[in-house]
Amino acid sequence: MKICLISFDFWHYDEHIVEKLSDRGIQACHINIGAFTHKNTGERIKNTFSKIFLGKNPKYHKRQSFILESLEKIGKQDQILVINPEAIEESIHQKIREYADRNIAYLYDSMARNPATHLLHYFDTVFSFDDEDVKNFGFEKITNYNYLEHVPASKQHPKLDLFYITSYDQKRLTALNLLINRLSSMKIKFEVYIAGKKGWKNKLNQFIDQKNIDILKFGRKKIPHHALPAYYKNTKVILDLMRADQTGLSFRIFEAMALEKKIITDNPTIKTYDFYNPNNILVLDKNFRNVKKDFFTTPYEKLPEEVYYKYTLDHWVNTVFKLNS
């Protein structure tokens, strides 16, 4: 069987799908739009000039061509999975459809954030992690997946009580400020890492109290994907704050599952899932008054094996690609 994945794999989550398929003996390939780069500094300068002065982005169009060039090399596929198809022009989707016996889309952004209605007819099946989109558009529901190896809490020795990594986002930073104020009297050991442009730090005063800004860490570059588990292993609890217009569960939920970490989240939909356990998952109330010190001191409660398996990458690829049918 030949399966191709097409995505803009900025966070390197999608590459795990290809690795899992390859481990199954499937001829799998990945057209990673995000991996396309300029050939040299001269091209990079020209692209920047074009964006600023001409309002055009040559790199965007070259990435579209890169998809077709890659498909021509690998030929017809049994299945093609496109993740977040709105990043690809409709004319390219017409060509992709010609290369696939079965064409699949997976949306792990909401339609409210990234509309894709005009592209849906190119796909045999559309999966979504967002409950509202599943209800409104008739998509098939699937969550993100647990791609990490299971590491029991008993084999870890965390020094932090709470860890959070985020990019610059007004909604999440406002919620973060409220939570920091709530935790300040509890003697909770926590660390927050904010990745983004240097200039963003100057804008934080709009959402973050000055006393709280001093405890945040900043980085122009995101923490490498392969390094994240080490950060998570060093904490008892992982913080998860939602983006605006999104109800689906983030990858943090499943990373926490693999490493037996508790979760604090402002996503109320998590209560509808079979892995929800109030001893492991704290869903913040409106003013975050339900955060108590004992949530950090009581142990993680293991999930039943059958529940854990439902959210593994093994189960995910079986479901999306119909490998057990």
Side-chain angles (χ1 to χ4, degrees), residues 266-294:
D266 60 349
N267 189 343
T269 67
I270 200 169
K271 290 184 176 181
T272 66
Y273 290 85
D274 54 1
F275 62 80
Y276 172 71
N277 177 343
N279 295 316
N280 291 341
I281 301 171
L282 175 64
V283 180
L284 295 164
D285 61 17
K286 185 176 181 180
N287 296 308
F288 298 2
R289 291 195 180 96
N290 61 334
V291 181
K292 307 294 182 183
K293 181 70 179 281
D294 60 1

Short mmCIF file of all heavy atoms in Angstrom, two decimals, residues 266-294:
data_model
loop_
_atom_site.label_atom_id
_atom_site.label_comp_id
_atom_site.label_asym_id
_atom_site.label_seq_id
_atom_site.Cartn_x
_atom_site.Cartn_y
_atom_site.Cartn_z
N ASP A 266 -8.55 25.04 30.52
CA ASP A 266 -9.78 25.84 30.48
C ASP A 266 -10.72 25.34 29.39
O ASP A 266 -11.65 26.04 28.99
CB ASP A 266 -9.47 27.33 30.28
CG ASP A 266 -8.73 27.61 28.98
OD1 ASP A 266 -8.27 26.65 28.32
OD2 ASP A 266 -8.60 28.80 28.62
N ASN A 267 -10.48 24.13 28.90
CA ASN A 267 -11.32 23.54 27.85
C ASN A 267 -12.37 22.62 28.49
O ASN A 267 -12.07 21.49 28.85
CB ASN A 267 -10.45 22.74 26.88
CG ASN A 267 -11.23 22.27 25.66
OD1 ASN A 267 -12.47 22.26 25.66
ND2 ASN A 267 -10.53 21.90 24.60
N PRO A 268 -13.62 23.09 28.61
CA PRO A 268 -14.64 22.29 29.29
C PRO A 268 -15.05 21.02 28.55
O PRO A 268 -15.60 20.09 29.15
CB PRO A 268 -15.82 23.26 29.41
CG PRO A 268 -15.64 24.22 28.28
CD PRO A 268 -14.15 24.38 28.12
N THR A 269 -14.78 20.94 27.24
CA THR A 269 -15.20 19.76 26.48
C THR A 269 -14.46 18.51 26.91
O THR A 269 -14.90 17.39 26.62
CB THR A 269 -14.99 19.96 24.96
OG1 THR A 269 -13.59 20.05 24.67
CG2 THR A 269 -15.68 21.23 24.48
N ILE A 270 -13.34 18.68 27.61
CA ILE A 270 -12.56 17.51 28.02
C ILE A 270 -13.35 16.62 28.97
O ILE A 270 -13.09 15.42 29.08
CB ILE A 270 -11.22 17.96 28.67
CG1 ILE A 270 -10.20 16.82 28.65
CG2 ILE A 270 -11.43 18.48 30.09
CD1 ILE A 270 -8.80 17.25 29.02
N LYS A 271 -14.36 17.19 29.62
CA LYS A 271 -15.19 16.41 30.54
C LYS A 271 -16.04 15.36 29.82
O LYS A 271 -16.56 14.44 30.46
CB LYS A 271 -16.10 17.33 31.35
CG LYS A 271 -15.38 18.20 32.37
CD LYS A 271 -16.37 19.00 33.20
CE LYS A 271 -15.68 19.80 34.29
NZ LYS A 271 -16.64 20.56 35.12
N THR A 272 -16.19 15.50 28.51
CA THR A 272 -17.03 14.56 27.75
C THR A 272 -16.26 13.32 27.30
O THR A 272 -16.87 12.41 26.74
CB THR A 272 -17.63 15.26 26.51
OG1 THR A 272 -16.57 15.61 25.60
CG2 THR A 272 -18.38 16.53 26.91
N TYR A 273 -14.96 13.27 27.53
CA TYR A 273 -14.14 12.16 27.05
C TYR A 273 -14.03 11.07 28.12
O TYR A 273 -14.06 11.36 29.33
CB TYR A 273 -12.75 12.65 26.65
CG TYR A 273 -12.76 13.51 25.41
CD1 TYR A 273 -13.02 14.87 25.47
CD2 TYR A 273 -12.52 12.95 24.15
CE1 TYR A 273 -13.04 15.66 24.33
CE2 TYR A 273 -12.54 13.73 23.00
CZ TYR A 273 -12.80 15.08 23.11
OH TYR A 273 -12.83 15.86 21.97
N ASP A 274 -13.88 9.83 27.66
CA ASP A 274 -13.85 8.71 28.60
C ASP A 274 -12.59 8.66 29.45
O ASP A 274 -12.56 7.94 30.45
CB ASP A 274 -14.04 7.37 27.86
CG ASP A 274 -13.05 7.17 26.72
OD1 ASP A 274 -12.21 8.05 26.49
OD2 ASP A 274 -13.15 6.13 26.03
N PHE A 275 -11.54 9.40 29.10
CA PHE A 275 -10.33 9.41 29.92
C PHE A 275 -10.39 10.49 31.01
O PHE A 275 -9.49 10.59 31.84
CB PHE A 275 -9.08 9.62 29.07
CG PHE A 275 -9.04 10.93 28.32
CD1 PHE A 275 -8.66 12.11 28.96
CD2 PHE A 275 -9.38 10.98 26.97
CE1 PHE A 275 -8.62 13.31 28.27
CE2 PHE A 275 -9.35 12.19 26.28
CZ PHE A 275 -8.97 13.35 26.94
N TYR A 276 -11.47 11.27 31.02
CA TYR A 276 -11.56 12.35 32.00
C TYR A 276 -11.68 11.78 33.41
O TYR A 276 -12.52 10.92 33.70
CB TYR A 276 -12.77 13.24 31.72
CG TYR A 276 -13.03 14.26 32.81
CD1 TYR A 276 -12.17 15.34 33.00
CD2 TYR A 276 -14.11 14.10 33.68
CE1 TYR A 276 -12.39 16.26 34.01
CE2 TYR A 276 -14.34 15.03 34.70
CZ TYR A 276 -13.47 16.10 34.86
OH TYR A 276 -13.68 17.00 35.87
N ASN A 277 -10.83 12.28 34.29
CA ASN A 277 -10.81 11.90 35.69
C ASN A 277 -10.49 13.17 36.47
O ASN A 277 -9.41 13.73 36.31
CB ASN A 277 -9.75 10.83 35.93
CG ASN A 277 -9.61 10.42 37.39
OD1 ASN A 277 -10.07 11.11 38.29
ND2 ASN A 277 -8.97 9.29 37.63
N PRO A 278 -11.41 13.66 37.30
CA PRO A 278 -11.17 14.91 38.00
C PRO A 278 -9.95 14.89 38.92
O PRO A 278 -9.45 15.95 39.30
CB PRO A 278 -12.47 15.13 38.80
CG PRO A 278 -13.10 13.79 38.88
CD PRO A 278 -12.71 13.07 37.62
N ASN A 279 -9.48 13.69 39.25
CA ASN A 279 -8.25 13.60 40.04
C ASN A 279 -7.01 13.87 39.20
O ASN A 279 -5.96 14.23 39.73
CB ASN A 279 -8.14 12.23 40.70
CG ASN A 279 -9.24 11.99 41.71
OD1 ASN A 279 -9.55 12.87 42.51
ND2 ASN A 279 -9.84 10.82 41.67
N ASN A 280 -7.14 13.69 37.88
CA ASN A 280 -6.02 13.92 36.95
C ASN A 280 -6.17 15.22 36.17
O ASN A 280 -5.18 15.79 35.71
CB ASN A 280 -5.91 12.78 35.93
CG ASN A 280 -5.47 11.47 36.55
OD1 ASN A 280 -4.90 11.46 37.64
ND2 ASN A 280 -5.74 10.38 35.86
N ILE A 281 -7.39 15.66 35.97
CA ILE A 281 -7.67 16.81 35.09
C ILE A 281 -8.51 17.84 35.83
O ILE A 281 -9.63 17.55 36.26
CB ILE A 281 -8.41 16.34 33.81
CG1 ILE A 281 -7.55 15.31 33.05
CG2 ILE A 281 -8.72 17.54 32.91
CD1 ILE A 281 -8.29 14.64 31.91
N LEU A 282 -7.97 19.03 35.96
CA LEU A 282 -8.69 20.13 36.58
C LEU A 282 -9.17 21.08 35.50
O LEU A 282 -8.36 21.67 34.77
CB LEU A 282 -7.77 20.88 37.56
CG LEU A 282 -8.36 22.14 38.20
CD1 LEU A 282 -9.55 21.80 39.08
CD2 LEU A 282 -7.29 22.90 38.99
N VAL A 283 -10.48 21.23 35.37
CA VAL A 283 -11.07 22.15 34.42
C VAL A 283 -11.35 23.46 35.15
O VAL A 283 -12.15 23.50 36.09
CB VAL A 283 -12.36 21.58 33.80
CG1 VAL A 283 -12.95 22.58 32.81
CG2 VAL A 283 -12.08 20.25 33.11
N LEU A 284 -10.69 24.51 34.74
CA LEU A 284 -10.77 25.79 35.43
C LEU A 284 -12.18 26.38 35.36
O LEU A 284 -12.82 26.33 34.31
CB LEU A 284 -9.78 26.77 34.81
CG LEU A 284 -8.29 26.40 34.98
CD1 LEU A 284 -7.43 27.22 34.02
CD2 LEU A 284 -7.86 26.63 36.43
N ASP A 285 -12.64 26.93 36.46
CA ASP A 285 -13.90 27.64 36.44
C ASP A 285 -13.66 29.07 35.96
O ASP A 285 -12.53 29.44 35.62
CB ASP A 285 -14.60 27.60 37.81
CG ASP A 285 -13.77 28.25 38.92
OD1 ASP A 285 -12.83 29.01 38.61
OD2 ASP A 285 -14.09 28.01 40.10
N LYS A 286 -14.71 29.89 35.96
CA LYS A 286 -14.63 31.20 35.34
C LYS A 286 -13.52 32.07 35.90
O LYS A 286 -12.79 32.74 35.17
CB LYS A 286 -15.99 31.91 35.47
CG LYS A 286 -16.04 33.25 34.74
CD LYS A 286 -17.43 33.86 34.83
CE LYS A 286 -17.48 35.18 34.08
NZ LYS A 286 -18.84 35.80 34.16
N ASN A 287 -13.37 32.09 37.21
CA ASN A 287 -12.37 32.95 37.85
C ASN A 287 -11.19 32.17 38.41
O ASN A 287 -10.40 32.71 39.19
CB ASN A 287 -13.04 33.78 38.96
CG ASN A 287 -14.07 34.74 38.41
OD1 ASN A 287 -13.79 35.51 37.50
ND2 ASN A 287 -15.28 34.68 38.94
N PHE A 288 -11.10 30.88 38.03
CA PHE A 288 -9.99 30.02 38.43
C PHE A 288 -9.94 29.83 39.95
O PHE A 288 -8.88 29.53 40.51
CB PHE A 288 -8.64 30.58 37.95
CG PHE A 288 -8.51 30.67 36.45
CD1 PHE A 288 -9.55 30.32 35.61
CD2 PHE A 288 -7.34 31.12 35.88
CE1 PHE A 288 -9.43 30.41 34.23
CE2 PHE A 288 -7.19 31.23 34.50
CZ PHE A 288 -8.25 30.87 33.67
N ARG A 289 -11.06 29.97 40.62
CA ARG A 289 -11.08 29.82 42.07
C ARG A 289 -11.00 28.36 42.51
O ARG A 289 -10.79 28.07 43.69
CB ARG A 289 -12.37 30.45 42.64
CG ARG A 289 -12.40 31.97 42.55
CD ARG A 289 -13.50 32.53 43.46
NE ARG A 289 -13.55 33.98 43.38
CZ ARG A 289 -14.39 34.67 42.61
NH1 ARG A 289 -15.23 34.01 41.81
NH2 ARG A 289 -14.38 35.98 42.61
N ASN A 290 -11.19 27.43 41.57
CA ASN A 290 -11.17 26.02 41.94
C ASN A 290 -9.78 25.41 41.92
O ASN A 290 -9.61 24.20 42.08
CB ASN A 290 -12.11 25.21 41.04
CG ASN A 290 -11.72 25.28 39.57
OD1 ASN A 290 -11.08 26.24 39.12
ND2 ASN A 290 -12.12 24.28 38.81
N VAL A 291 -8.74 26.21 41.73
CA VAL A 291 -7.37 25.70 41.78
C VAL A 291 -6.97 25.55 43.25
O VAL A 291 -6.92 26.53 43.99
CB VAL A 291 -6.39 26.65 41.07
CG1 VAL A 291 -4.98 26.08 41.12
CG2 VAL A 291 -6.83 26.88 39.63
N LYS A 292 -6.68 24.33 43.65
CA LYS A 292 -6.30 24.05 45.04
C LYS A 292 -4.92 23.37 45.09
O LYS A 292 -4.54 22.65 44.17
CB LYS A 292 -7.34 23.13 45.71
CG LYS A 292 -8.78 23.62 45.61
CD LYS A 292 -9.01 24.92 46.36
CE LYS A 292 -10.48 25.35 46.28
NZ LYS A 292 -10.73 26.63 46.94
N LYS A 293 -4.24 23.57 46.19
CA LYS A 293 -2.89 23.02 46.34
C LYS A 293 -2.89 21.49 46.28
O LYS A 293 -1.95 20.88 45.75
CB LYS A 293 -2.31 23.49 47.68
CG LYS A 293 -0.89 23.02 47.96
CD LYS A 293 0.14 23.69 47.07
CE LYS A 293 1.55 23.23 47.37
NZ LYS A 293 2.13 23.88 48.55
N ASP A 294 -3.95 20.86 46.79
CA ASP A 294 -3.94 19.39 46.84
C ASP A 294 -3.98 18.74 45.46
O ASP A 294 -3.62 17.57 45.31
CB ASP A 294 -5.08 18.86 47.72
CG ASP A 294 -6.47 19.26 47.22
OD1 ASP A 294 -6.56 19.94 46.18
OD2 ASP A 294 -7.46 18.89 47.88
#
